Amino acid sequence: MYKGILHTHYLVVTLFLIIYVIKTILLLSNKTDLLQTFTKKVKVPEMVISFLFLATGVYLATQLPFGSKYDYLFWIKIAMVLLSIPLAVIGFKKQNKILAALSLLLITGSFGLAEVYHKRKAITTDSTEVVSNDGKTLYEAKCALCHGGDGKLGAAGAKNLTVLTSSVEDIKAVIMNGKNSMPAADVTPEQAAAIADYVVANIQGK
């Protein structure tokens, strides 16, 4: 479900941005009549896209595993999106080019900031240096942020590990290679095996 909503979010965000780019270009080019015609034609699709944009965004936000030093980027992104909405409404209603352009800049910037946030968060999480081969220590450092200490957290599309019936080798393969929304972990084969052993012995089926 998480992966499907994530793809839907990316799609509606792209469509949302395309619409606002076109509207802003028309406004800045003083093509008022063409802007009004375009706005009327996309009114219903824009409402649907805007709703899906917000709905999928809220859902994904509730699935994020917070705890990184880069979490402030997420809140800056939210502030930029919320600020861009009234600016866009006022800008296009009053045909104020500065406000419309500023709104587009904020929306575009928020999308870029979201990508930076996710990449840096992934790097921070995955680069946690653990030299131990203790399964519990490795699990807490590499897996608990999304799976939770008890395996049930399910953040960012992570599976509930307590309902797994996988073998140690299967779990090790997922840790090493990744699967669906889960990237491959930065661990050695021995560490992956230790994590898999810990999951099977202490979390799976609990």
Side-chain angles (χ1 to χ4, degrees):
M1 180 178 178
Y2 175 86
K3 192 173 182 180
I5 291 179
L6 180 62
H7 289 318
T8 301
H9 183 68
Y10 280 136
L11 175 61
V12 295
V13 161
T14 301
L15 294 174
F16 184 87
L17 184 58
I18 289 173
I19 290 174
Y20 269 82
V21 167
I22 294 173
K23 290 173 68 174
T24 303
I25 290 175
L26 292 175
L27 178 60
L28 296 178
S29 302
N30 295 317
K31 297 181 179 179
T32 307
D33 293 338
L34 193 55
L35 173 60
Q36 291 178 348
T37 300
F38 178 77
T39 300
K40 289 180 180 179
K41 287 185 176 180
V42 300
K43 184 176 181 179
V44 174
E46 185 178 356
M47 290 174 62
V48 174
I49 290 171
S50 297
F51 172 77
L52 290 174
F53 174 23
L54 292 174
T56 56
V58 168
Y59 172 81
L60 293 174
T62 63
Q63 301 300 305
L64 285 175
F66 290 102
S68 165
K69 66 180 179 179
Y70 294 111
D71 286 341
Y72 72 92
L73 293 176
F74 172 79
W75 297 112
I76 293 176
K77 170 205 166 185
I78 294 298
M80 291 172 70
V81 171
L82 293 178
L83 181 60
S84 69
I85 294 173
L87 288 177
V89 172
I90 297 172
F92 287 110
K93 185 175 182 179
K94 296 188 175 183
Q95 296 188 4
N96 187 308
K97 297 179 181 179
I98 295 177
L99 292 182
L102 181 58
S103 174
L104 179 61
L105 182 64
L106 287 170
I107 293 173
T108 306
S110 69
F111 296 156
L113 198 61
E115 292 303 311
V116 172
Y117 167 73
H118 287 297
K119 288 180 180 178
R120 289 190 177 181
K121 189 175 183 68
I123 292 172
T124 300
T125 302
D126 202 42
S127 63
T128 304
E129 186 175 356
V130 181
V131 295
S132 170
N133 278 343
D134 176 66
K136 183 175 187 295
T137 301
L138 287 163
Y139 176 84
E140 290 174 347
K142 299 288 185 178
C143 314
L145 185 64
C146 293
H147 288 288
D150 60 359
K152 300 178 181 179
L153 180 60
K159 286 189 175 297
N160 180 346
L161 300 181
T162 64
V163 301
L164 288 182
T165 56
S166 305
S167 67
V168 170
E169 284 302 315
D170 288 339
I171 295 174
K172 177 184 174 182
V174 173
I175 294 170
M176 294 296 296
N177 303 313
K179 186 176 181 180
N180 297 328
S181 60
M182 174 181 164
D186 182 22
V187 294
T188 65
E190 292 76 17
Q191 289 176 325
I195 295 172
D197 283 332
Y198 174 77
V199 170
V200 170
N202 298 279
I203 296 178
Q204 184 171 286
K206 303 298 182 181

